[in-house]
């Protein structure tokens, strides 16, 4: 799985810390997800997509 969280963060001018706060996780979780070292739960993936007002498939690619 890959994702475009870093791109969407940049588009919304958000730090990893700010995004983490908005979706209720730690900065370390956002870092791990961005680097594809951690696969987010479905709940977290939907929270991130909802926060950016995007469809989940626009942010996450499943192989």
């Amino acid at each position: 799985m890959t994702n475009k969280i870093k791109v969407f963060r940049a588009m919304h001018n958000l730090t990893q810390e700010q995004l983490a706060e908005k979706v209720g996780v730690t900065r370390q979780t956002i870092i791990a997800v961005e680097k594809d070292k951690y696969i987010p739960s479905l709940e977290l993936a939907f929270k991130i997509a909802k926060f950016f007002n995007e469809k989940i498939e626009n942010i996450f690619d499943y192989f």
Side-chain angles (χ1 to χ4, degrees):
M1 184 172 91
T2 61
N3 68 77
K4 299 174 189 144
I5 294 174
K6 190 173 183 177
V7 173
F8 279 94
R9 271 196 317 100
M11 289 168 45
H12 289 81
N13 199 27
L14 286 172
T15 65
Q16 292 168 330
E17 182 71 36
Q18 290 169 323
L19 177 59
E21 218 172 88
K22 298 288 185 185
V23 297
V25 297
T26 65
R27 179 174 169 258
Q28 286 73 27
T29 299
I30 297 299
I31 291 169
V33 172
E34 280 187 1
K35 292 182 175 182
D36 298 325
K37 293 186 176 185
Y38 173 76
I39 297 173
S41 67
L42 196 53
E43 180 183 3
L44 177 56
F46 273 106
K47 280 183 179 179
I48 292 169
K50 184 177 179 181
F51 176 77
F52 288 124
N53 198 27
E54 290 286 335
K55 292 181 178 178
I56 198 167
E57 61 266 25
N58 290 343
I59 298 175
F60 297 93
D61 290 325
Y62 292 91
F63 291 85

